[in-house]
Amino acid sequence: MKIFIDTANIDKIREVNTWGILDGVTTNPSLVARENTDFKTLVSEICKIVDGPISAEVMSTQAADMVAEARKLAKIHKNVVIKVPMTEEGLKATKTLASEGIPVNMTLIFSAAQAILACKAGARYISPFVGRFDDIGEEGMNLIAEIMDILDAYEFDAEVIVASVRHPIHVTQAARMGAHIATIPYEVLKKMLHHPLTDIGIKRFQDDWAKMSKE
Ligand code: E4P
């Protein structure tokens, strides 16, 4: 399973990149807005830190404008992946960009039907959001199971990026379902890393070692 970090914060990306487990980065307009930095500069900085797919989202709503915006973003770095929302105009733009060899991550996917259309349009990645279902009391991971069943049945090239991750169980469930990628917020990555029994175990080993050294 590939692990992407879901943030536009340079410090958090840099910190987690030192762990040696990062395969890419996803951003979105809300995450970028939090950093209050020039978008292209931010994307360029991220590309210098992580050697993998870096998703940057277009803000245009019409296909021609999406394509024009995407072409400019793609020039920032070879690893830039263009995030396009799952709309009719987004499908048109994805078809064009895919034909030009510009990788697209179709985002804001909330149904298997949308996922099928995104794959057909030539998206390199598709991003179904799970947490926003959970936020309204539904089971977001059911969508991943449905999509993985469909992709397993056909030779679609798209990779599934499980997005809108709220906790480590989303990640382990996604892995058990065979999802290609999970894009994980910094706070969830930290929760994945730490376990109280590990901390207790380390302390016990150190205490026992210290006792032996005194004897
Ligand atoms: C992918 O990058 C998505 O934009 C992101 O995971 C959405 O997460 P949210 O539902 O917490 O906004």
Side-chain angles (χ1 to χ4, degrees), residues 118-119 123-126 151 156-160 180:
C119 292
R124 181 80 59 79
Y125 304 96
I126 59 173
L151 263 63
F156 287 130
D157 296 330
E159 290 186 280
V160 175
H180 307 88

Side-chain angles (χ1 to χ4, degrees), residues 24-166:
V25 182
T26 52
T27 71
N28 65 37
S30 301
L31 294 172
V32 169
R34 285 179 202 165
E35 302 309 313
N36 198 24
T37 309
D38 174 69
F39 181 33
K40 291 182 179 174
T41 304
L42 191 59
V43 172
S44 178
E45 279 304 302
I46 294 171
C47 290
K48 289 173 189 167
I49 301 168
V50 178
D51 183 17
I54 310 297
S55 284
E57 192 155 345
V58 294
M59 290 308 295
S60 305
T61 56
Q62 297 302 303
D65 298 330
M66 288 177 177
V67 169
E69 198 179 337
R71 286 172 180 152
K72 289 177 187 168
L73 288 173
K75 287 186 178 135
I76 295 172
H77 192 279
K78 66 178 176 56
N79 287 344
V80 168
V81 172
I82 307 300
K83 253 187 168 183
V84 173
M86 182 64 226
T87 63
E88 185 175 339
E89 292 299 307
L91 288 174
K92 296 175 191 174
T94 297
K95 194 72 180 176
T96 301
L97 292 169
S99 72
E100 295 177 5
I102 296 176
V104 172
N105 173 3
M106 280 210 93
T107 188
L108 285 166
I109 287 178
F110 291 96
S111 72
Q114 287 180 322
I116 292 169
L117 295 178
C119 292
K120 291 289 292 180
R124 181 80 59 79
Y125 304 96
I126 59 173
S127 291
F129 284 30
V130 298
R132 295 193 188 185
F133 279 110
D134 293 29
D135 294 345
I136 60 172
E138 295 184 23
E139 180 55 66
M141 292 309 294
N142 289 343
L143 174 60
I144 305 303
E146 207 179 353
I147 290 172
M148 293 314 296
D149 283 348
I150 292 166
L151 263 63
D152 288 347
Y154 296 94
E155 296 304 310
F156 287 130
D157 296 330
E159 290 186 280
V160 175
I161 304 177
V162 176
S164 188
V165 165
R166 294 284 184 271

Side-chain angles (χ1 to χ4, degrees), residues 3-5 11-23 49-50 168 184-194:
I3 289 181
F4 290 5
I5 187 170
D11 292 337
K12 290 177 178 176
I13 293 169
R14 193 170 278 122
E15 176 189 339
V16 175
N17 195 50
T18 64
W19 299 3
I21 52 94
L22 270 192
D23 299 300
I49 301 168
V50 178
I184 308 167
Y186 172 82
E187 295 72 19
V188 176
L189 282 162
K190 298 285 266 189
K191 287 175 183 172
M192 289 175 69
L193 171 63
H194 293 294

